[in-house]
Amino acid sequence: MAAGGSQPALRAFGTQMRRYRNRANVIQESIATATNTSVSFVSLVETGKRACKRRFAEIVDEMRQASGQLVELWDDLYRDGSPVPSWFVDWATVEGEAAELLTWQPVVVPGLLQTEDYARALLPTEEALANRIKRQAILLRDDPAPTPIVALLGRAVLTYCAGGVATQRAQLDHLIDMAARPNVLIQVVPYERTAVGTGGACVLATMPDRSEIAYLDTTTRGITTDAREDIAGLSRALMLLRAEALPESMSLDLIKQVQEDLE
């Protein structure tokens, strides 16, 4: 196995986990309970999309009667002393499989609601742009049903002119159009009420099994986590932000007013 936690190495580890689980007739729910994680986390590890701690590998090894082989694989994965970060995960996969999404964005429009021109002004390459536009399909698809999303926007989002005033006007038009869809709810949080959201942008994904995974924006990278203490703190912050947000109708009126005032 390649050292240093490459994605192929993670997939190899996950495949081996899955084989031993099937052989021992152990279900994912049992693994999640024993390791104090979620079923979605176990699934992500098995598909090579998430790293795990050594203690997780030890517990799974014992439950699946792997005779130490899973632990050996884990040690091999981390052999060079540069373990896969705990935040490693394919967020696009989580997003695509989520039963619902709740996002807080204090400065820019959420990626799933951006127009192509707006996104192009923010992203470094056309490849990144294409990937972002592709991700938006989860809100527009017919089968399976489109993903429900609640987007909480800071007041500053409405006037942050990425790409210029014309691009921003078109972006605000797009927000209004998207809000007409039954699976999209957009609410604006006024300036004076955003103290609880100063920690930065975030997304909370609720999975079909009702487990939750979060994505947190930082200056250097995004962090994905399903740690219970992280989820608890984030859930509380989002609850407070949603309580302080303007109702949908008032939010849309404000968006229209700001659009008219843009110069």
Side-chain angles (χ1 to χ4, degrees):
M1 183 184 301
S6 67
Q7 196 161 1
L10 289 174
R11 285 197 295 267
F13 180 84
T15 298
Q16 197 74 343
M17 274 185 57
R18 186 167 59 253
R19 287 173 181 167
Y20 281 117
R21 176 171 64 81
N22 292 334
R23 185 182 302 173
N25 196 28
V26 176
I27 60 175
Q28 289 183 338
E29 287 81 357
S30 297
I31 299 296
T33 299
T35 56
N36 196 29
T37 58
S38 66
V39 173
S40 62
F41 176 85
V42 175
S43 179
L44 287 169
V45 172
E46 286 194 345
T47 54
K49 297 168 184 173
R50 186 73 187 267
C52 65
K53 296 181 179 179
R54 193 178 195 277
R55 181 55 182 158
F56 179 95
E58 291 172 350
I59 294 172
V60 174
D61 189 286
E62 183 177 351
M63 291 184 69
R64 299 181 182 182
Q65 303 171 15
S67 304
Q69 293 187 46
L70 283 178
V71 177
E72 289 180 9
L73 284 173
W74 191 96
D75 288 340
D76 187 28
L77 181 63
Y78 290 81
R79 179 177 296 168
D80 68 352
S82 301
V84 177
S86 60
W87 47 264
F88 178 88
V89 72
D90 183 351
W91 175 253
T93 299
V94 172
E95 193 178 61
E97 295 176 355
E100 57 191 56
L101 299 167
L102 173 58
T103 183
W104 159 243
Q105 298 291 332
V107 179
V108 300
V109 172
L112 292 178
L113 297 174
Q114 292 175 4
T115 65
E116 184 170 335
D117 286 341
Y118 186 97
R120 180 176 283 110
L122 296 173
L123 296 173
T125 67
E126 287 295 312
E127 181 181 4
L129 173 65
N131 287 336
R132 178 160 297 180
I133 299 303
K134 181 179 179 180
R135 283 170 45 211
Q136 295 175 356
I138 66 172
L139 302 184
L140 307 171
R141 65 195 180 194
D142 294 319
D143 186 22
T147 304
I149 184 172
V150 175
L152 304 176
L153 310 182
R155 176 66 171 74
V157 172
L158 307 186
T159 54
Y160 182 82
C161 292
V165 172
T167 296
Q168 184 68 9
R169 284 202 183 103
Q171 176 62 72
L172 296 181
D173 260 339
H174 184 63
L175 288 179
I176 294 168
D177 290 343
M178 290 298 293
R181 298 183 62 86
N183 61 308
V184 178
L185 174 61
I186 297 173
Q187 293 181 269
V188 177
V189 182
Y191 285 130
E192 64 273 14
R193 304 180 188 177
T194 58
V196 71
T198 54
C202 58
V203 187
L204 183 64
T206 301
M207 308 307 289
D209 65 359
R210 309 315 295 173
S211 62
E212 294 175 314
I213 304 173
Y215 181 85
L216 313 175
D217 255 344
T218 73
T219 302
T220 57
R221 58 175 169 81
I223 296 175
T224 303
T225 177
D226 66 351
R228 294 186 180 183
E229 60 272 20
D230 293 338
I231 297 297
L234 182 62
S235 295
R236 176 169 174 74
L238 288 170
M239 179 184 68
L240 293 173
L241 281 166
R242 194 167 186 183
E244 295 174 349
L246 299 176
E248 181 183 30
S249 59
M250 292 180 64
S251 295
L252 294 178
D253 287 342
L254 179 58
I255 292 172
K256 293 173 184 178
Q257 183 60 55
V258 170
Q259 184 187 46
E260 292 174 2
D261 294 341
L262 284 175
E263 297 181 358

